Amino acid sequence: MSALTAAVTVLETGSTTGWKVGYVIAIVVVLVVVALVVPILLLAHRIGSQAAAIDESLQQSVTNTAGLAQLNTTIDHATEIIAGLTRGRQRLGG
């Protein structure tokens, strides 16, 4: 019976060794995933912070350039004024 007991002990030792190897592999995989995901999350946070500043700057640009929408109207009026001045000059003989 001692041979049978020795065989059972070897099988039990082998099965727990497999579990231990499995746990070690699982822990290594989890650590690798964490090591890859953490920098990505940090970059995403930094990009989010910069995006807010960029959006604020673009909103300010929209406010600062709103007057340019009327630029064509100003050009049209200036063209009419120049044409009127040219006609006046011609009538005065100049």
Side-chain angles (χ1 to χ4, degrees):
M1 282 224 178
S2 69
L4 182 61
T5 306
V8 170
T9 304
V10 168
L11 288 175
E12 287 177 356
T13 304
S15 71
T16 58
T17 302
W19 279 100
K20 289 177 184 176
V21 170
Y23 282 134
V24 169
I25 291 173
I27 290 171
V28 169
V29 168
V30 168
L31 290 176
V32 168
V33 168
V34 168
L36 293 173
V37 170
V38 167
I40 292 171
L41 292 175
L42 291 174
L43 284 173
H45 177 56
R46 202 166 104 203
I47 289 170
S49 299
Q50 291 175 350
I54 290 170
D55 185 50
E56 181 181 329
S57 175
L58 288 174
Q59 292 298 328
Q60 186 177 7
S61 296
V62 167
T63 303
N64 291 341
T65 59
L68 293 176
Q70 299 298 322
L71 185 60
N72 286 330
T73 304
T74 303
I75 291 172
D76 291 340
H77 290 306
T79 304
E80 290 177 25
I81 292 170
I82 291 170
L85 292 173
T86 304
R87 284 191 307 271
R89 178 184 248 176
Q90 288 172 353
R91 287 183 185 164
L92 292 174

